[in-house]
Amino acid sequence: SEEYVGIPISITKSGIKGVLESLNISASTEKTNTVITLSLKDNVIERADDILNTLIAVYNEDNITYKNQVVVNTSNFINEHLNSIERELESVDRDISRYRSENMAADIQASTEIFLTESSVYNKQIFVLQNQLSVAEFIREYLGNPANSNSLIPSNSGIENPGIEKQVAEYNTIMIKRERLIDNGSEKSPAVIELTNTAMAMKQSVIRAIDNLAVVLNLQIEGAKNKEEQTNKKIAGVPQKEQEMIPIQRRLVTQENLYLYLLKKRVENELAGAATISNFRIVDEADGSIIPVAPKSRIIMLAALIAGLLIPFSIFWLRDLLNTTVRGPKDITDSLTVPFLGTVPQNMRKRKKKSGDAVSGSLVVRDSSRDAASEAFRVIRSNMDFMSAKNSSNTVMCTSFNMGAGKSFVSLNLAMSFALADKKVILVDLDLRKAALSSWSVPNKMGVSAYLSGINTNLDELTVREWLNPNLDVLPVGKLPPNPAELLLSPGFKELISILQQRYDYVFLDTTPVNIVADASIVADVAGMTIFVVREGLLDRRLLPELEQIYRSGKFPNMAVLLNGSSMSSGKYYGGYGRYGHAYGYGYGEKG
């Protein structure tokens, strides 16, 4: 339309695989299983209609192509076999032709009649020849008989030899002429003698001719008999030839029948291919509805509502499940038999970064404060009074398992709470490695380290008087010593604590964490009560059994547990010690 003139249009082209994966075509059948319904979800109705209609058209074309392919394959199969059969028929024809040629049997029945005729001819010929031979032998015997020396030779005897017949006729003529002369004269007449000699010579000639004729007749008879015998053998071999011809004839008939059968099937297959039609029909063309089928707003709203409820609860549940730290007083009271002093809520006021103002963020117990944290320390003070009634010592040490538990925070506020109760309190910083408490607005550069090392043993000069309250004094660390554990083991340490116990109602000792350095164990020898500070969200619950073991071992006197930083909010308060790892790990290495 005109509104798109001059406006760039982006066109995205996808591959075949990508398009196929994006199509959401579904198929369903009716109860009769004879009708299939195809459906396609798409943003454009016309495109969905075109895809479905084209899909059906291509399927129909493919179906007809498949059927035609069957016809083509069948036709190829028939043609291949027809060619094979034609080659087989040609081979059979060559075998028949070669057999007939080799056996001179174009037609066995006709050949048999010919052979019989030939045999009959040869038989007659032998008979005629034998008759002639018999006549010739008779005449030869007749001529050889002395009694017939002057007799005539029988003529027209059946000898089919013109020369012999002529000689016999001449001989008989001479003999007749001789007989006439004898009848008219004497046998001794010259004419009779001459005729007699002539007749004798002719007689010998006839005898020789007859002998030759007999030889020839015998040869002819022998040849006729041989031919007759060969003919008889051919007649006798006719049944065998017929038997040898039967398999060839059978092959010929079989191949001819199969050839005709395949010709018939080829015609049928071509007719079937010409009449190929699809085996399905379209009931209704594709027609998309204008009513959207997706997304379903009600289902989406319901799913969003359920997800909105489940996700927060799942996050809270998962966070609680993965949280292995102490989560509240119940984790302590259910796992430990250590006396529980109380709970200090999280201090919501953030400490200021300037070192001069750091104490303002850590001190929550004030003269006029009535918030939850200050009231919690007052409750803990009451619990400590109850526990100290059983113990004559007024020295309280604060320690913990790990850094950042808030030992200095707890020591400062507990000391302040007792000071507000008109108790003379001194807060001693025995963290000779970090001195976090001393860094909170304590100007003295000398303190516990100077006293224990013998540099300055005047406590009045080392003590910060009336710090934050007239009843609260502080004994800072002073300069960090290179050998804190050795200083705490010196006799001057117990002497220092003894003097402080006499001067003050309560002596609070802020020490290092246990299991990191040995300082806390050394300080425990002079303490009358141990407050073990556990920070909620910091201490791993798996360390509680170890805390129980420390309590049962009695290494720390009158041990009690205080839970610090208890809060329902997600914020964390990092009072007291900061990063002990930095100070204890390599801080003294740099100082030599």
Side-chain angles (χ1 to χ4, degrees), residues 49-237:
D49 293 344
D50 291 341
I51 291 176
L52 290 178
N53 291 329
T54 305
L55 178 64
I56 295 300
V58 171
Y59 177 79
N60 186 20
E61 180 180 353
D62 184 71
N63 188 26
I64 295 176
T65 302
Y66 171 75
K67 290 186 175 181
N68 289 334
Q69 185 64 36
V70 173
V71 173
V72 171
N73 292 340
T74 304
S75 178
N76 294 334
F77 173 80
I78 292 174
N79 291 331
E80 290 178 0
H81 281 69
L82 283 175
N83 294 332
S84 177
I85 293 172
E86 288 177 355
R87 292 192 295 269
E88 184 67 20
L89 287 174
E90 293 176 356
S91 176
V92 173
D93 290 339
R94 287 194 299 268
D95 292 342
I96 294 176
S97 177
R98 183 174 60 255
Y99 182 83
R100 288 177 175 176
S101 177
E102 292 175 355
N103 295 276
M104 294 181 296
D107 190 348
I108 294 178
Q109 185 175 1
S111 298
T112 303
E113 293 178 357
I114 292 173
F115 294 153
L116 291 175
T117 303
E118 289 181 355
S119 178
S120 176
V121 171
Y122 291 143
N123 192 10
K124 290 180 179 180
Q125 184 178 1
I126 292 172
F127 178 77
V128 171
L129 292 174
Q130 286 180 346
N131 287 336
Q132 291 183 13
L133 181 60
S134 298
V135 172
E137 290 178 349
F138 172 76
I139 294 175
R140 176 68 177 80
E141 183 180 358
Y142 179 84
L143 292 176
N145 190 358
N148 299 320
S149 59
N150 295 320
S151 299
L152 295 175
I153 300 174
S155 59
N156 297 324
S157 58
I159 297 176
E160 296 179 357
N161 191 325
I164 295 176
E165 289 292 332
K166 182 179 178 181
Q167 289 179 353
V168 170
E170 290 179 353
Y171 175 79
N172 288 332
T173 302
I174 291 173
M175 290 301 292
I176 293 172
K177 186 177 179 181
R178 176 180 174 274
E179 288 295 329
R180 289 178 181 173
L181 289 175
I182 292 174
D183 289 337
N184 296 322
S186 171
E187 294 181 356
K188 296 182 178 182
S189 67
V192 172
I193 293 172
E194 183 180 0
L195 288 173
T196 300
N197 292 332
T198 302
M200 290 299 291
M202 293 186 66
K203 183 177 181 180
Q204 292 299 321
S205 177
V206 170
I207 292 173
R208 286 194 299 270
I210 291 176
D211 291 338
N212 293 332
L213 178 62
V215 172
V216 172
L217 290 175
N218 285 323
L219 293 175
Q220 291 180 349
I221 291 172
E222 186 68 23
K225 287 182 177 180
N226 290 336
K227 292 181 179 179
E228 183 183 17
E229 183 179 358
Q230 292 177 359
T231 303
N232 291 333
K233 287 181 180 180
K234 292 180 180 180
I235 295 173

Side-chain angles (χ1 to χ4, degrees), residues 556-574:
F556 295 93
N558 294 324
M559 181 176 166
V561 176
L562 183 146
L563 180 63
N564 183 29
S566 177
S567 177
M568 296 301 293
S569 64
S570 60
K572 299 295 181 183
Y573 173 73
Y574 295 96

